[in-house]
Amino acid sequence: MNDRIAWQAICQEVTKTALPILPHLRSNKLKSEVISNLFESKSEKYFNSIGIPVRACLSDRDPDLYFIKENKPLEIKVTRSPLPIMNSLKWMGGKYSKRNSDHIFIAWHYTEPTIIDPTNTITYMIAKTYVTEDDWVVLDNGNENYYATVFTSDNLLKKHHEIIVGEYNGAFISR
């Protein structure tokens, strides 16, 4: 399977579904949740459609995707970039994100329609790397009831990784 072709096709499906919805959402957090959820559902549908049996997560404790024949989990982490040039990206994760497995890190940028230019677009950068539990940094905001972990683009670049969609030239450039 060619990862580049697969993830480009998945990006197209996510974009097709998201573009009519995003102009109606005010919250960037909600927009990111929509994009993340679409990547999970569209990737499951895509891989199954090309004969690669995949199961999407049933709960937060499950991997985002589970490749059945290969017996391999895949985590999908999504973050929004306010600019098309994506510097200092952070992907957030909860307690169960710290699974030792391959991860797909997606950064996306949404260009809203304006009166001058009524088109809206979504551009992406997708990178793949293997992440261990120790690669995640626990955020401490001083509240003992708060728990979150973060994985940064600096961490990504220090690891062996592959840019699958978009490019890297001193900063991530979404395409």
Side-chain angles (χ1 to χ4, degrees):
M1 175 191 70
N2 184 321
D3 277 350
R4 190 172 310 272
I5 291 170
W7 287 101
Q8 286 173 340
I10 294 164
C11 285
Q12 289 174 352
E13 289 301 310
V14 168
T15 298
K16 231 189 307 187
T17 304
L19 279 181
I21 299 168
L22 293 184
H24 305 286
L25 304 177
R26 296 183 93 165
S27 162
N28 285 325
K29 182 178 180 183
L30 183 55
K31 288 176 184 174
S32 206
E33 285 291 325
V34 166
I35 295 291
S36 180
N37 204 293
L38 286 172
F39 266 103
E40 289 177 22
S41 62
K42 297 295 184 180
S43 58
E44 177 191 30
K45 185 176 180 178
Y46 175 83
F47 287 117
N48 282 316
S49 76
I50 63 168
I52 299 173
V54 168
R55 181 179 66 237
C57 66
L58 302 173
S59 75
D60 283 344
R61 294 177 186 254
D62 297 326
D64 293 324
L65 289 179
Y66 187 77
F67 289 81
I68 297 166
K69 284 185 181 175
E70 293 83 6
N71 194 28
K72 286 184 75 173
L74 177 72
E75 291 293 332
I76 300 172
K77 296 300 166 206
V78 177
T79 193
R80 177 187 157 269
S81 175
L83 301 170
I85 298 176
M86 303 173 180
N87 292 327
S88 302
L89 297 170
K90 292 181 183 176
W91 291 272
M92 303 292 289
K95 187 177 278 190
Y96 303 111
S97 298
K98 297 174 12 174
R99 179 177 281 109
N100 296 342
S101 68
D102 285 328
H103 280 61
I104 292 289
F105 289 101
I106 301 169
W108 63 276
H109 174 75
Y110 173 60
T111 304
E112 296 195 30
T114 64
I115 293 171
I116 297 168
D117 184 0
T119 60
N120 57 347
T121 58
I122 306 172
T123 52
Y124 304 95
M125 186 287 303
I126 300 179
K128 182 179 181 181
T129 192
Y130 186 85
V131 177
T132 68
E133 185 174 337
D134 294 335
D135 292 327
W136 290 89
V137 175
V138 176
L139 295 181
D140 181 5
N141 74 348
N143 181 343
E144 65 184 56
N145 295 324
Y146 178 82
Y147 182 88
T149 56
V150 66
F151 188 85
T152 67
S153 51
D154 289 340
N155 294 351
L156 176 68
L157 296 176
K158 291 175 186 171
K159 298 181 73 57
H160 175 74
H161 67 279
E162 177 186 4
I163 303 296
I164 298 171
V165 173
E167 60 187 65
Y168 178 73
N169 187 14
F172 291 107
I173 310 295
S174 62
R175 294 244 166 141

